[in-house]
Amino acid sequence: QVQLVESGGGLVQTGGSLRLSCGASGRTLNLGVMSWFRQAPGKEREFVASISRSGGSTSYADSAKGRFTISRDNAKNTVYLQMNSLKPEDTALYYCAASTLLGTEYAYWGQGTQVTVSS
């Protein structure tokens, strides 16, 4: 079993930056793709970014391209999301998710960390 815990959320002004972290514990050696999702009040959960096991491949939602960067440090069992040029529409609860090495769906989810961007 794997547990994921997000941290780094907070309140920032429009144009500011924030770095989110997601630490994994438990059976972490077989973790594959790790991703960030977000959900705002009254809206459906949406994909933000993902990164492969090796860190060699990344993927971003159109809303995140050019502003957000996902990275991972497997020695620390941690994935990061660097967010720059934040906008009020980025306000949401941000979740970390992970698949197993051969899995096609996300098997593990964190509880989320709140990001609020003021105008």
Side-chain angles (χ1 to χ4, degrees):
Q1 191 177 30
V2 172
Q3 296 80 45
L4 302 177
V5 180
E6 303 94 337
S7 63
L11 174 64
V12 297
Q13 295 188 136
T14 297
S17 298
L18 207 59
R19 188 177 79 155
L20 306 183
S21 297
C22 173
S25 61
R27 300 178 64 183
T28 60
L29 292 178
N30 64 346
L31 289 179
V33 171
M34 296 190 73
S35 301
W36 289 95
F37 292 81
R38 68 187 183 187
Q39 186 168 27
K43 300 181 65 177
E44 294 186 353
R45 182 180 62 196
E46 66 174 346
F47 169 80
V48 177
S50 66
I51 187 167
S52 63
R53 166 64 180 174
S54 67
S57 298
T58 58
S59 182
Y60 297 92
D62 287 341
S63 61
K65 291 180 180 177
R67 300 189 300 126
F68 294 3
T69 302
I70 188 170
S71 61
R72 68 191 295 168
D73 184 341
N74 290 339
K76 295 183 177 180
N77 295 315
T78 302
V79 63
Y80 306 94
L81 184 67
Q82 177 66 47
M83 305 186 294
N84 299 323
S85 302
L86 285 164
K87 307 173 181 178
E89 50 262 47
D90 294 318
T91 295
L93 188 64
Y94 283 71
Y95 295 93
C96 176
S99 71
T100 59
L101 279 172
L102 300 179
T104 58
E105 297 183 10
Y106 294 103
Y108 310 106
W109 293 82
Q111 294 187 20
T113 184
Q114 179 67 39
V115 171
T116 302
V117 184
S118 62
S119 60

